[in-house]
């Protein structure tokens, strides 16, 4: 039997759709479901959502996980702290990444591939190891303190590790390429004659930059910021290795609830609330991606 | 333009310094003899002591081997699934479920890993309860999880290549009598091969590198390399990890340098050919 | 040659028995947008038919339906009497030359041309022989081993043509075949295309937005607008006897005046034109009643320009108006004059520059007389 074009297309679209349905979408439904259960000492360690009482199905909905999140100060403050850290880091990435992307976009065609390679190269090396490298730099007896002591700038080592500063450094360092690449992709497409026209009409360079370049690069800015902000909110490795021990980020809280406390319903509720916060930025990101692809067509 | 130029160039240099100082310091200290990672023992350094230790560390070698196997399988499967998804999204016009597929392929790009990891583990637990498979977590569940988030990246790479692709090429092949499958194999596939290759490499790297999702879906006896490294560095610096990092950076840097040089060479040849053709107009 | 240009609104009552390609009330909708609107058209075996229209007129969609890349929303496409509606492009006896040429960049010229033959499962030797023959016909014999990016624009065009012709299709579709070439090369290629078409006896359907290309290539033209074919005819039919204001304005330039029929005689009508400030006598039988609103169209080259009024009794004496030259554009082979007539309306007149610096040329702001023969104006009712 020969495959008709239509059934062939259905197969091509169906396989990845099915895969993602089972391994991406349905898992969220399960998380959602378990967030309405209670912990119990069993395998699995939560109460079932549907139970049978005298032959009739009985829906058991427990709000305890959620009420727990709102009564214990730990969770709310972790959420707010995570949002703050993600926002500040995103802003820092933008402030550092924009001029870098701009410089690459305006560099000569001979050095441009080299510069891009230099930006992308750390991204290809292990994320974990790059965060780890900062431990060696920021430690009390680390490189930075040693250099500053040697130069006589300070007389006692600075406490750099396990601070907000260390987390910012770690996030900015790890996510900078995610900011630079979409910005570069956007800036590189700009028409140089627009700036020439602005100059011809009497705009000074900085003014032309603010009035012409920045507004045109807004989609790139948005894409870069979302690519940094959304994953940074749930960041786990960086705060665990570099961050404070008295104030946890929400990703760490989720992981601890799950692995240390074995409280699956609360871990699920933490995840669901995090998703609720992030759903708008995620949808925004999807819209940007779609537009980008349509523009490429 | 000039003032911005200087400012931006300065920022670029500083930014690159920022990106490379930690890596370089890691490489330098991998040759340090001292166990105190950040104190340079000038008497006995440089030394290959930690590299030697690495070669004899069965735990690290075993984890690396497991990671390589998982990454090979995940990247290959992700490339197949991602290419199918990319084809469907760029070539089939509007079909039922298109929005769903498009959404499910972009969301994993930004989804915090703790959420993905937790949800996948809960899925595997629920599946084990319902259908009795998978029995316990381990290499298989890690691979399934890796395929899922890697395929999202491959889809994006393949999709953007397909979107910038002259569809008339495929139509021309069809017009000349080639059936859709043959059009894909003879025309589309060869032309998106570079994107597929870079998608594969990207997927391999992501799988090789992943810690958070893996921690959720791994079981006892299935520790990948990032998991071993994490458990070692969580409580401070260990010098053999510096050696390991150096090896990994060198492998990646060599690979990227070679591919950049090769691509530039190809680009130059292409440009020269086109100039010659234009000069010999008719 | 048909004397009466047929329009899409009234499809020819008796189908042309010689029709090789037939479109029967073909409609194509994309969502709410109707790209092609109930088009009926017959194309004869061996002819060169040009579909001419602006962007968005539906000409490319029509071509893509013939090739099989789009399915009609309604109506049918017949090729050689066979309904093609359900037949995919790879099973149609039709080949297409794409506007972008769509040469496979990863294959050599030879491989590109051989691709179609390979799909038929021909033997290696037969393929090599046929590829060689067709490359010789398009004068690309020595270029078989080159890759497309090693070719100039004109060479690519020839390879694309060879690739489309190598399967000896009965019908070749050409999408803007000359658009990517520069002006000099275009003229040369145009004649070569005609040459090859005659040699191989293929039916050509050419889509173009360039009227010059359509006029020189096409034996018959179909002018498209808003998804409909508004007129079909030979190039001279369409130029000299446009069926509507759209066609008159789209092909070449034209002076157009609104007026009212004031007298109907045998073989002529008299039209009262307020814009012209006089009556126009047109020697054309038009089915229109007394008092109806019509438009008179006169081509710029059909208007005489002179310093003195035409003598009574001379040709064109009846249709004469006075005016003042406002602008002159010297084009080399001819000059364009913009003349403002006494009613205030601006007229465009072209005169060939026959002699070299002969008589004293007309100057700006000079008073002149414009006149035309009674057969020159075209009377349009829509």
């Amino acid at each position: 039997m020969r495959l008709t074009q239509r059934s062939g297309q259905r197969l091509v679209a169906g396989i990845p759709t099915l895969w993602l349905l089972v391994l991406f979408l349905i898992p969220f439904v399960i998380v959602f479901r378990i967030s309405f259960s209670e912990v119990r000492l069993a395998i699995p360690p939560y109460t079932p959502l549907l139970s049978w009482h005298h032959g009739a199905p009985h829906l058991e909905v427990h709000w305890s996980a959620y009420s727990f999140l709102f009564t214990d100060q730990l969770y709310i403050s972790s959420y707010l702290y995570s949002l703050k850290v993600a926002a500040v880091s995103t802003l820092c990435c933008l402030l550092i990444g924009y001029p870098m992307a701009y410089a690459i976009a305006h560099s000569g065609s001979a050095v441009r591939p080299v510069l891009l390679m230099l930006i992308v190269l750390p991204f290809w090396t292990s994320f974990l190891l790059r965060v780890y490298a900062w431990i060696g730099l920021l430690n009390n007896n680390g490189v930075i303190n040693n250099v500053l002591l040697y130069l006589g700038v300070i007389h006692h080592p600075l406490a750099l590790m396990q601070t907000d500063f260390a987390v910012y450094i770690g996030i900015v360092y790890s996510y900078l390429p995610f900011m630079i690449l979409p910005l570069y992709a956007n800036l590189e497409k700009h028409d140089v004659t627009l700036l020439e026209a602005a100059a011809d009409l009497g705009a000074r360079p900085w003014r032309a930059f603010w009035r012409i370049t920045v507004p045109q690069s807004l989609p790139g800015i948005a894409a870069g910021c979302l690519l940094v902000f959304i994953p940074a909110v749930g960041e786990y490795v960086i705060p665990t290795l570099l961050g404070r021990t008295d104030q946890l980020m929400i990703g760490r809280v989720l992981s601890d609830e799950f692995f240390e406390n074995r409280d699956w319903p609360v871990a699920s509720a933490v995840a669901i609330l995090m998703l609720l916060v992030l759903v708008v930025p995620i949808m925004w990101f999807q819209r940007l991606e779609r537009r980008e692809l349509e523009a490429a067509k | 333009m000039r003032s911005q130029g200087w400012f931006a160039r300065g920022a670029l240099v500083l930014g690159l310094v920022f990106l490379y100082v930690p890596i370089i310091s890691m490489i330098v200290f991998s040759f340090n003899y001292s166990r105190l990672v950040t104190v340079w023992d000038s008497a006995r350094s440089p030394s290959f002591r930690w590299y030697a230790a690495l070669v004899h560390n069965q735990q690290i070698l075993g984890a690396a081997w497991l990671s390589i196997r998982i990454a090979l399988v995940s990247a290959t499967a992700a490339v197949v699934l991602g290419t199918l998804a990319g084809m469907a999204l760029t070539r089939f016009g509007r079909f039922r479920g298109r929005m769903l597929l498009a959404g499910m392929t972009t969301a994993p790009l930004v989804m915090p890993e703790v959420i993905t990891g937790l949800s996948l583990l809960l899925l595997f637990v629920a599946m084990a309860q319902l259908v009795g498979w998978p029995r316990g977590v381990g290499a298989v569940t890690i691979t399934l999880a890796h395929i899922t988030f890697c395929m999202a990246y491959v889809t994006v790479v393949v999709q953007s290549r397909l979107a910038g692709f002259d569809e008339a090429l495929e139509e021309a092949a069809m017009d000349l009598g080639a059936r859709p499958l043959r059009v894909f194999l003879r025309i589309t596939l060869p032309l998106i091969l570079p994107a597929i290759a870079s998608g594969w490499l990207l997927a391999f790297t992501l799988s090789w590198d992943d810690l958070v999702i893996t921690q959720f879906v791994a079981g006892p006896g299935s520790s990948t390399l990032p998991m071993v490294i994490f458990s070692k560095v969580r409580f401070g610096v260990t010098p053999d990890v510096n050696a390991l990092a150096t090896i990994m950076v060198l492998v990646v840097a060599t690979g990227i340098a070679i591919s950049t040089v090769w691509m530039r060479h190809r680009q130059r040849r292409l440009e020269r050919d086109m100039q010659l053709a234009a000069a010999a107009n008719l | 040659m048909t004397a009466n240009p047929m329009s899409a609104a009234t499809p020819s009552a008796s189908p042309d028995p010689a029709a090789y390609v037939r479109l029967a009330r073909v409609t194509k909708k994309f969502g709410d947008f109707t790209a092609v609107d109930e088009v009926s058209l017959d194309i004869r075996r061996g002819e060169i038919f040009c579909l001419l229209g602006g962007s968005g007129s539906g000409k490319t969609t029509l071509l893509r339906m013939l090739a099989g890349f789009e399915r009609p929303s309604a109506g049918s496409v017949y090729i050689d009497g066979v309904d093609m509606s359900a037949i995919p492009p790879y099973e149609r006896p039709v080949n297409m030359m794409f506007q972008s040429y769509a040469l496979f960049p990863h294959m050599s010229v030879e491989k590109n041309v051989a691709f179609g033959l390979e799909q038929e499962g021909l033997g290696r030797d037969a393929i090599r022989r046929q590829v060689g023959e067709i490359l010789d016909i398009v004068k690309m014999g020595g270029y078989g081993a080159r890759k497309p990016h090693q070719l100039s624009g004109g060479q690519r065009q020839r390879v694309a043509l060879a690739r489309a012709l190598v399967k000896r299709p009965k019908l070749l579709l050409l999408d803007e075949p000359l658009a990517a070439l520069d002006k000099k090369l275009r003229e040369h290629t145009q004649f070569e295309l005609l040459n090859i078409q005659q040699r191989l006896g293929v039916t050509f359907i050419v889509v173009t937005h360039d009227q010059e290309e359509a006029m020189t290539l096409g034996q018959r033209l179909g002018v498209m607008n808003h998804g409909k074919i508004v007129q079909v005819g030979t190039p001279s039919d369409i130029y000299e006897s446009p069926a509507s204001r759209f066609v008159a304005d789209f092909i070449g330039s034209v002076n157009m005046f609104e007026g009212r029929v004031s007298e109907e005689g045998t073989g002529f009508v008299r039209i009262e034109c307020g814009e012209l400030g006089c009556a126009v006598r047109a020697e054309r039988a038009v089915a229109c009643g007394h008092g109806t609103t019509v438009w008179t169209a006169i081509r710029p080259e059909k208007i005489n320009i002179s310093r003195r009024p035409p003598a009574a009794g001379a040709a064109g004496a009846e249709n004469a108006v006075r005016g003042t030259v406002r602008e002159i554009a010297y084009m080399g082979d001819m000059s364009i004059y913009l003349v403002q007539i006494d009613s205030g309306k601006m007229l465009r007149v072209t005169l060939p520059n026959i002699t070299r610096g002969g008589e004293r040329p007309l100057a700006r702001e000079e008073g002149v007389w414009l006149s035309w023969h009674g057969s020159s104006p075209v009377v349009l009712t829509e």
Side-chain angles (χ1 to χ4, degrees):
Chain A
M1 196 185 81
R2 229 165 35 174
L3 213 60
T4 67
Q5 194 173 346
R6 180 152 296 193
S7 62
Q9 286 197 352
R10 242 180 240 159
L11 202 66
V12 168
I15 293 172
T17 307
L18 191 69
W19 181 282
L20 286 169
L21 267 181
V22 172
L23 282 129
F24 188 72
L25 207 59
I26 292 179
F28 287 122
V29 179
I30 297 174
V31 172
F32 189 71
R33 191 197 94 137
I34 293 177
S35 73
F36 289 100
S37 307
E38 267 186 335
V39 207
R40 64 171 189 188
L41 279 171
I43 295 175
Y46 54 86
T47 55
L49 195 65
L50 269 179
S51 57
W52 296 87
H53 276 291
H54 311 293
H58 177 75
L59 197 64
E60 262 188 72
V61 177
H62 296 278
W63 292 89
S64 56
Y66 289 96
S67 63
F68 190 54
L69 294 190
F70 286 103
T71 45
D72 193 329
Q73 201 55 44
L74 166 83
Y75 301 103
I76 301 295
S77 82
S78 297
Y79 272 116
L80 294 177
Y81 178 68
S82 301
L83 289 175
K84 187 191 99 182
V85 167
V88 172
S89 313
T90 306
L91 190 66
C92 293
C93 271
L94 179 62
L95 292 179
I96 299 171
Y98 198 103
M100 290 178 76
Y102 187 91
I104 299 173
H106 287 253
S107 61
S109 59
V111 285
R112 197 181 294 184
V114 179
L115 290 174
L116 276 175
M117 186 197 84
L118 286 175
I119 298 294
V120 177
L121 199 143
F123 170 77
W124 287 92
T125 62
S126 168
F127 165 74
L128 181 59
L129 290 174
R130 276 180 295 138
V131 177
Y132 157 78
W134 279 99
I135 301 179
L137 291 175
L138 296 172
N139 252 341
N140 275 355
N141 59 355
V143 174
I144 292 179
N145 272 317
N146 283 347
V147 169
L148 291 178
L149 284 169
Y150 177 79
L151 293 175
V153 181
I154 52 171
H155 300 290
H156 304 285
L158 296 171
L160 298 170
M161 275 290 281
Q162 298 179 342
T163 59
D164 287 350
F165 173 74
V167 176
Y168 292 142
I169 286 267
I171 294 182
V172 171
Y173 180 71
S174 309
Y175 287 85
L176 194 56
F178 289 103
M179 178 64 83
I180 294 177
L181 292 177
L183 276 174
Y184 164 78
N186 173 290
L187 287 168
E188 182 233 18
K189 281 183 282 189
H190 286 202
D191 183 355
V192 190
T193 56
L194 291 182
L195 286 181
E196 288 171 357
D200 183 60
L201 295 167
R204 301 196 155 275
W206 275 103
R207 201 174 163 70
F209 173 75
W210 278 112
R211 295 287 302 275
I212 311 291
T213 308
V214 173
Q216 274 189 287
S217 59
L218 284 179
I221 292 176
C225 287
L226 291 168
L227 270 172
V228 176
F229 179 81
I230 303 171
V233 170
E235 186 50 57
Y236 168 79
V237 173
I238 296 169
T240 305
L241 290 182
L242 305 176
R244 282 156 61 174
T245 45
D246 58 333
Q247 172 68 72
L248 300 182
M249 279 180 74
I250 198 66
R252 174 72 184 279
V253 170
L254 190 158
S255 162
D256 283 355
E257 284 300 338
F258 189 83
F259 287 111
E260 315 292 332
N261 300 346
R262 291 193 57 78
D263 192 336
W264 293 18
V266 167
S268 301
V270 169
I272 293 297
L273 282 189
M274 202 193 312
L275 263 183
L276 274 183
V277 174
L278 294 178
V279 80
V280 172
I282 288 175
M283 305 264 278
W284 187 15
F285 175 73
Q286 294 193 328
R287 230 181 55 169
L288 281 172
E289 279 284 297
R290 230 180 8 251
R291 284 216 193 128
E292 186 66 24
L293 274 170
E294 271 157 23
K297 262 200 165 174
Chain B
M1 240 179 39
R2 200 157 294 152
S3 56
Q4 285 149 241
W6 283 113
F7 176 73
R9 242 171 273 171
L12 180 61
V13 172
L14 286 178
L16 287 174
V17 169
F18 173 61
L19 281 179
Y20 282 92
V21 160
I23 295 174
I24 290 166
S25 112
M26 205 158 53
I27 294 175
V28 169
F29 280 99
S30 74
F31 297 104
N32 189 8
Y33 186 84
S34 168
R35 180 167 286 280
L36 292 168
V37 188
T38 49
V39 180
W40 186 256
D41 182 348
S42 48
R44 282 176 289 186
S45 307
S47 111
F48 284 91
R49 178 184 173 187
W50 304 114
Y51 290 88
L54 204 62
V55 177
H56 295 107
N57 189 330
Q58 286 306 319
Q59 192 198 11
I60 284 188
L61 290 182
W65 176 230
L66 177 68
S67 281
I68 286 178
R69 280 181 299 163
I70 289 175
L72 282 174
V73 176
S74 306
T76 309
V79 156
V80 173
L81 287 170
T83 307
L84 290 180
M87 281 297 289
L89 290 172
T90 45
R91 287 294 183 270
F92 295 174
R94 290 182 210 158
F95 60 90
R96 256 192 323 156
R98 185 181 194 286
M99 284 298 283
L100 181 72
L101 182 59
M104 288 192 305
T105 49
T106 44
L109 301 180
V110 287
M111 188 61 68
E113 287 187 290
V114 280
I115 300 183
T116 315
L118 174 72
S119 64
L120 278 168
L121 176 64
L122 296 182
L123 170 81
F124 293 137
V125 171
M127 274 171 67
Q129 254 184 298
L130 280 174
V131 296
W133 189 90
R135 262 193 253 143
V137 282
V140 174
T141 48
I142 297 175
T143 309
L144 288 176
H146 284 196
I147 292 170
T148 307
F149 73 80
C150 288
M151 82 169 268
Y153 286 85
V154 177
T155 307
V156 170
V157 174
V158 170
Q159 214 181 339
S160 63
R161 175 81 183 104
L162 280 171
F165 182 108
D166 185 5
E167 270 179 67
L169 291 173
E170 289 162 354
E171 288 175 349
M174 222 184 275
D175 185 64
L176 293 167
R179 307 175 60 71
L181 182 63
R182 185 165 265 237
V183 174
F184 177 75
L185 293 176
R186 289 285 311 268
I187 308 297
T188 317
L189 194 61
L191 291 174
I192 63 170
L193 210 55
I196 289 182
S198 59
W200 189 89
L201 283 174
L202 185 62
F204 184 92
T205 313
L206 289 166
S207 165
W208 165 260
D209 198 29
D210 182 74
L211 169 69
V212 181
I213 295 174
T214 313
Q215 265 192 335
F216 276 95
V217 294
S222 62
S223 288
T224 61
L225 188 60
M227 288 169 71
V228 171
I229 296 174
F230 188 64
S231 65
K232 280 173 88 78
V233 303
R234 202 167 170 177
F235 305 103
V237 187
T238 54
D240 47 350
V241 172
N242 280 344
L244 182 65
T246 304
I247 293 172
M248 281 163 63
V249 168
L250 284 183
V251 169
V252 169
T254 323
I256 289 194
I258 289 174
S259 73
T260 306
V261 168
W262 182 71
M263 259 151 57
R264 274 185 72 183
H265 172 72
R266 243 178 63 136
Q267 184 64 28
R268 286 220 187 110
R269 212 176 49 192
L270 198 74
E271 276 165 18
R272 200 197 53 212
D273 281 353
M274 277 159 79
Q275 277 166 0
L276 278 178
N281 208 338
L282 225 139
Chain C
M1 245 196 271
T2 44
N4 292 333
M6 54 178 175
S7 76
T10 54
S12 53
S14 56
D16 192 338
Y20 180 61
V21 176
R22 165 163 302 155
L23 301 172
R25 302 175 70 93
V26 169
T27 298
K28 178 68 191 179
K29 288 186 178 174
F30 295 106
D32 292 337
F33 175 69
T34 306
V36 173
D37 194 0
E38 285 208 25
V39 166
S40 296
L41 184 65
D42 285 345
I43 292 159
R44 292 172 213 136
R45 195 183 294 272
E47 80 171 328
I48 301 186
F49 189 92
C50 273
L51 279 166
L52 178 62
S55 60
S57 61
K59 58 187 194 305
T60 302
T61 308
L62 202 59
L63 197 73
R64 290 173 60 82
M65 283 194 284
L66 283 166
F69 300 130
E70 310 283 355
R71 269 174 187 230
S73 312
S76 340
V77 176
Y78 298 92
I79 296 174
D80 211 4
V82 181
D83 186 353
M84 286 283 146
S85 307
I87 295 183
Y90 42 86
E91 283 168 12
R92 293 193 182 200
V94 174
N95 285 120
M96 176 150 163
M97 197 178 118
F98 288 79
Q99 184 177 6
S100 63
Y101 305 146
L103 296 179
F104 307 134
H106 56 303
M107 295 182 191
S108 66
V109 166
E110 257 167 11
K111 284 272 164 203
N112 261 283
V113 178
F115 187 89
L117 298 175
E118 283 168 16
Q119 308 310 315
E120 290 178 345
L122 246 63
R124 199 176 287 254
D125 290 334
I127 291 180
R128 191 174 306 141
R129 203 188 57 245
Q130 291 191 33
V131 168
E133 272 172 24
I134 199 77
L135 283 178
D136 284 340
I137 290 179
V138 299
K139 304 201 179 89
M140 286 295 291
Y143 294 89
R146 293 230 188 154
K147 287 276 185 76
H149 72 266
Q150 293 170 310
L151 302 176
S152 70
Q155 291 169 337
R156 277 181 222 183
Q157 197 257 9
R158 289 149 182 274
V159 175
L161 184 65
R163 190 179 69 177
L165 284 173
V166 76
K167 292 182 82 171
R168 301 291 154 122
K170 291 284 175 319
L171 173 63
L172 186 69
L173 309 171
L174 300 99
D175 188 4
E176 307 269 1
L178 307 174
L181 304 180
D182 56 45
K183 202 170 168 5
K184 275 260 163 70
L185 197 56
R186 196 184 291 191
E187 243 169 58
H188 179 78
T189 313
Q190 226 162 44
F191 292 114
E192 218 156 33
L193 264 182
L194 289 174
N195 202 348
I196 289 172
Q197 191 265 345
Q198 271 158 20
R199 210 168 133 186
L200 301 179
V202 192
T203 308
F204 271 26
I205 299 181
V206 182
V207 152
T208 178
H209 69 278
D210 181 341
Q211 46 164 304
E212 218 175 292
E213 189 175 316
M215 301 275 238
T216 44
L217 272 181
Q219 290 160 351
R220 283 199 306 152
L221 313 184
V223 182
M224 287 195 76
N225 188 32
H226 293 309
K228 287 183 187 292
I229 292 202
V230 289
Q231 189 173 357
V232 175
T234 63
S236 69
D237 276 346
I238 297 215
Y239 188 79
E240 304 291 355
S241 317
S244 63
R245 278 183 294 157
F246 171 80
V247 176
D249 198 41
F250 186 73
I251 314 281
S253 48
V254 75
N255 296 297
M256 195 117 52
F257 319 98
E258 196 176 322
R260 207 171 276 277
V261 177
S262 60
E263 189 189 336
E264 261 189 296
T266 44
F268 78 96
V269 284
R270 195 178 295 278
I271 297 152
E272 211 59 56
C273 282
E275 285 180 301
L276 203 56
C278 69
V280 176
R281 193 188 125 102
E283 292 176 5
R284 201 59 61 100
V286 195
C288 53
H290 189 86
T292 46
T293 305
V294 292
W295 290 268
T296 312
I298 310 174
R299 297 280 182 201
E301 75 277 6
K302 295 198 167 52
I303 300 177
N304 296 316
I305 187 166
S306 59
R307 291 200 173 86
R308 272 180 294 278
E318 206 169 357
N319 296 312
V321 284
R322 215 174 54 182
T324 314
V325 177
R326 294 295 184 207
E327 293 291 343
I328 303 170
Y330 177 72
M331 308 291 285
D333 54 344
M334 59 164 192
S335 295
I336 301 171
Y337 299 86
L338 289 184
V339 179
Q340 191 170 32
I341 55 175
D342 289 355
S343 70
K345 173 118 178 155
M346 207 63 97
L347 258 67
R348 189 185 166 96
V349 182
T350 53
L351 277 186
N353 295 320
I354 296 164
T355 50
R356 195 161 155 256
E359 55 186 306
R360 182 172 68 89
L362 287 167
R364 282 220 272 172
E365 304 307 327
E366 204 171 331
V368 290
W369 282 86
L370 302 180
S371 61
W372 53 88
H373 192 264
S375 66
S376 299
V378 179
V379 181
L380 303 167
T381 52
E382 56 174 315

